[in-house]
């Protein structure tokens, strides 16, 4: 983990180096989040990353020099402490999120729906709210939210995740309306099939079921999406990439994929 000195009474405060832009990435302990930390660090950002699994974050920190802070986006106190430790924010990547289950609406578990709404929608709300003062101070900021093809298109078994990600899309578009006239860009990347821990978590550790999601096709990688983030944030300041749908060549829509048979 990078060495932090204490600029204030907050022992966890990050020290922002003057002239080095600061990027904040949530859900950064693995997958798209960790890849985004690596790519933004290479691009020259001082990166502050948050996640629940601090041990995993510290491994990414050792590799990149990014600063690791504990963050549970479903816990308002945790988000408040995280945001209070960040003195500057030029880029916010709202990546924390995920799916739970693939049940039909007929058999859906309300607790899963609540959990998905909490992490995907309220998580983005809490962190964005908490860092908006820092984003406004930046004078040239970008919020990139990782949505999903599930934010655009319903699919069988997608009920709760579709509902949550559609809400993320609504939140992103309302935020863009609200910030019109301020120097803050608002972007949403909607990835299709990306092979990360996403499906293992969705299917509660059932690796075979998770593997089957990507079987016979070339899925996107976390790096593919991280490269989209770095491209978006490195456009000239007046260019707002409002939204981006990113699919593997083997996928044309949520339910239409090409799988090679052995
Ligand atoms: C992940 C894409 O199609 O597995 O956000 O829901 S999908």
């Amino acid at each position: 983990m990078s060495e932090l000195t204490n600029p204030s009474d907050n022992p966890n405060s990050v020290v922002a180096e003057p002239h080095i832009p600061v990027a904040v990435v949530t859900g950064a302990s693995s997958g798209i989040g960790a890849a985004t930390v690596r790519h933004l660090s290479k691009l020259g950002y001082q990166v502050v990353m948050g996640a629940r699994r601090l041990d995993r974050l510290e491994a990414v920190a050792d590799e990149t020099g990014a600063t690791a802070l504990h963050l549970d986006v479903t816990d308002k106190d945790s988000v408040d402490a995280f945001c209070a430790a960040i003195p500057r924010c030029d880029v916010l990547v709202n990546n924390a999120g995920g799916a739970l289950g693939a049940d039909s609406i007929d058999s859906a578990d309300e607790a899963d729906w609540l959990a998905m709404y909490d992490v995907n929608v309220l998580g983005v709300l809490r962190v964005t709210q908490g860092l908006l003062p820092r984003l406004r101070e930046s004078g040239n900021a970008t919020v990139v939210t990782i949505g999903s093809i599930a934010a655009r298109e319903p699919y069988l078994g997608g009920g709760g995740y579709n509902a949550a990600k559609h809400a993320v899309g609504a939140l992103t578009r309302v935020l863009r309306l609200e910030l019109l006239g301020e120097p803050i860009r608002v972007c949403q990347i909607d990835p299709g099939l990306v092979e990360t821990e996403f499906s293992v978590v969705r299917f509660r550790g059932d690796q075979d079921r998770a593997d089957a999601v990507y079987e016979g096709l070339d899925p996107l990688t976390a790096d593919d999406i991280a490269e989209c983030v770095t491209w978006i944030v490195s456009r000239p300041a007046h260019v707002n990439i409002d939204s981006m749908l990113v699919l593997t060549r083997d996928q044309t829509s949520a339910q239409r994929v090409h799988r090679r048979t052995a």
Side-chain angles (χ1 to χ4, degrees):
M1 201 186 330
S2 61
E3 201 58 38
L4 303 180
T5 34
N6 177 15
S8 69
D9 292 339
N10 182 345
N12 294 318
S13 283
V14 174
V15 177
E17 299 292 336
H19 314 304
I20 299 183
V22 174
V24 175
V25 182
T26 70
S29 57
S30 66
I32 293 171
T36 299
V37 170
R38 292 187 187 100
H39 284 256
L40 287 174
S41 299
K42 270 192 213 139
L43 201 61
Y45 281 87
Q46 181 182 353
V47 181
V48 181
M49 52 185 179
R52 284 175 303 184
R53 296 175 296 185
L54 249 192
D55 53 330
R56 301 275 297 266
L57 269 190
E58 279 165 12
V60 182
D62 287 344
E63 186 193 326
T64 60
T67 300
L69 296 178
H70 179 267
L71 172 66
D72 177 353
V73 300
T74 68
D75 177 348
K76 178 85 169 73
D77 291 341
S78 171
V79 173
D80 287 348
F82 178 78
C83 294
I86 298 172
R88 172 172 173 175
C89 180
D90 303 284
V91 168
L92 166 62
V93 183
N94 282 311
N95 168 69
L100 280 177
D103 300 317
S104 64
I105 291 186
D106 183 31
S107 60
D109 181 343
E110 190 181 314
D112 285 347
W113 281 52
L114 280 170
M116 285 189 275
Y117 196 86
D118 198 7
V119 69
N120 290 289
V121 188
L122 300 180
V124 171
L125 173 70
R126 294 182 187 107
V127 176
T128 305
Q129 258 183 355
L131 288 175
L132 254 183
R134 304 290 84 76
L135 291 160
R136 287 195 155 109
E137 284 159 12
S138 158
N140 179 19
T142 309
V143 179
V144 182
T145 296
I146 307 299
S148 168
I149 190 172
R152 299 180 178 225
E153 202 188 326
Y155 60 85
L156 287 170
Y161 189 57
N162 280 144
K165 285 296 192 183
H166 273 67
V168 170
L171 186 161
T172 301
R173 290 192 293 275
V174 173
L175 185 67
R176 172 98 167 95
L177 285 168
E178 289 177 355
L179 296 180
L180 184 65
E182 297 191 54
I184 305 177
R185 302 184 290 191
V186 179
C187 318
Q188 182 168 318
I189 301 176
D190 291 327
L193 293 166
V194 185
E195 191 163 14
T196 60
E197 291 176 352
F198 173 85
S199 292
V200 182
V201 173
R202 174 175 225 166
F203 298 123
R204 299 180 164 86
D206 184 338
Q207 188 68 52
D208 290 343
R209 208 172 161 197
D211 289 346
V213 173
Y214 312 104
E215 205 173 315
L217 52 81
D218 286 330
L220 297 170
T221 66
D223 284 322
D224 294 328
I225 303 305
E227 283 174 1
C228 295
V229 175
T230 55
W231 184 77
I232 284 170
V233 302
S234 54
R235 292 312 83 214
H238 68 284
V239 179
N240 194 108
I241 306 298
D242 281 52
S243 66
M244 195 188 255
L245 175 66
V246 189
L247 305 178
T248 166
R249 189 177 54 192
D250 291 332
Q251 180 176 31
T252 57
S253 62
Q255 304 212 85
R256 190 93 183 131
V257 299
H258 171 74
R259 296 183 198 274
R260 285 170 293 284
T261 45

